[in-house]
Amino acid sequence: MLNRVAVLSDIHGVLPALEAVLAEPDVRAAERIVLTGDIAAGPQPTEVLDLLMSLGDRVGWIAGNADRELLEHRRHTPDSAPTPDPLTPWAADRLRPDHLDLLASLPRTLTLPVRGLGTVLFCHATPRDDEEVVLVDSRLDRWQEVFTGLDDDIRTVVCGHTHMPFVRLAHGRLVVNPGSVGMPYGRPGAHWALLGPGTDLRHTPYDLEAAVHHLTRTSTYPDAASWADYYLHARATDADALAAFGPRDGRTNTP
């Protein structure tokens, strides 16, 4: 049974944000660090992967849809659809063979016992799919749908994908989204969560202007400056994100 688990989601290849979170005392003290996907698809993919790999077995890795897309691009998976994001092929082409092997080995879910929370299932988007959308205001029948097939002893589900932190109950299960470390919507800074014995949504501020300058100076991504300015400053609001994601959770105009 683990006493403390730090959850980092949607790092998206932003090294300064990751470094700021890893420097947090509660992250340093946590028995495990769980990454709930979308780790490397960003302006510093190799730097982020190398830093996380250096932490060894203390890290539990889960693949997100963006990690899968990096691998599909490099390995030219026949059924993979082209991504509209130019950053994905750029980041994929910078990964070394050991990075590709790591991404190929990542599971879609991870289950760990956490004190106070019991058996916790970690995933990227939902337990059954790495691209499904569920939100803080998703309908209860939507949650029942995405929970289909889960063992009864799983009473806590931790997910990422939508880059907005929340905690809510759905059909007796606690759902935790830590938000995004590297690409937050709604509020700048690095968002993460600390589990055990309860749930604690955390926010780590860091020097955004220095981070934008660092990314612009060190990343060879051609659009690094504007990418960093937009995403690190969270210029997409939570209202913008909810409006964009809402239709994807199957909702109608009826609340």
Side-chain angles (χ1 to χ4, degrees):
M1 183 73 68
L2 299 168
N3 291 308
R4 293 286 190 278
V5 176
V7 186
L8 282 57
S9 190
D10 297 277
I11 299 166
H12 278 286
V14 178
L15 185 64
L18 174 61
E19 290 177 328
V21 173
L22 292 178
E24 288 277 14
D26 282 335
V27 176
R28 290 180 178 272
E31 294 164 87
R32 295 291 298 274
I33 297 171
V34 175
L35 313 172
T36 53
D38 284 10
I39 300 160
Q44 295 173 300
T46 60
E47 295 91 335
V48 161
L49 286 174
D50 286 344
L51 176 55
L52 292 169
M53 291 165 68
S54 74
L55 301 178
D57 293 340
R58 185 168 165 244
V59 177
W61 303 67
I62 296 169
N65 62 293
D67 306 305
R68 170 175 52 78
E69 289 160 5
L70 292 176
L71 192 64
E72 289 171 350
H73 176 81
R74 278 293 294 274
R75 297 190 170 175
H76 307 291
T77 305
D79 295 333
S80 61
T83 174
D85 181 4
L87 186 54
T88 295
W90 177 89
D93 288 342
R94 272 137 193 88
L95 300 182
R96 300 190 306 263
D98 59 321
H99 295 144
L100 298 174
D101 290 342
L102 171 66
L103 294 181
S105 72
L106 299 187
R108 296 291 181 90
T109 64
L110 176 67
T111 303
L112 294 173
V114 180
R115 189 169 304 281
L117 298 173
T119 303
V120 179
L121 183 141
F122 300 85
C123 60
H124 178 61
T126 71
R128 64 182 187 174
D129 190 278
D130 66 9
E131 288 189 296
E132 279 191 313
V133 168
V134 281
L135 302 163
V136 64
D137 60 344
S138 290
R139 308 172 323 279
L140 282 174
D141 59 349
R142 173 64 171 168
W143 288 103
Q144 186 174 40
E145 177 188 352
V146 302
F147 286 160
T148 299
L150 287 189
D151 292 341
D152 290 340
D153 66 336
I154 295 173
R155 308 312 302 168
T156 303
V157 175
V158 179
C159 57
H161 189 50
T162 59
H163 298 205
M164 292 175 289
F166 67 82
V167 177
R168 67 162 289 175
L169 279 172
H171 295 287
R173 287 189 169 99
L174 189 68
V175 183
V176 182
N177 188 319
S180 173
V181 171
M183 289 177 63
Y185 298 148
R187 181 172 67 161
H191 297 260
W192 55 285
L194 186 67
L195 305 183
T199 60
D200 192 1
L201 296 179
R202 296 293 186 90
H203 172 254
T204 299
Y206 61 97
D207 189 332
L208 297 177
E209 298 309 323
V212 170
H213 176 73
H214 173 73
L215 286 176
T216 302
R217 180 173 52 86
T218 62
S219 176
T220 60
Y221 178 54
D223 202 26
S226 60
W227 190 98
D229 176 77
Y230 184 80
Y231 286 110
L232 271 60
H233 287 100
R235 302 205 186 278
T237 69
D238 52 336
D240 294 334
L242 286 169
F245 283 132
R248 294 178 53 193
D249 85 338
R251 68 183 61 194
T252 64
N253 292 328
T254 302

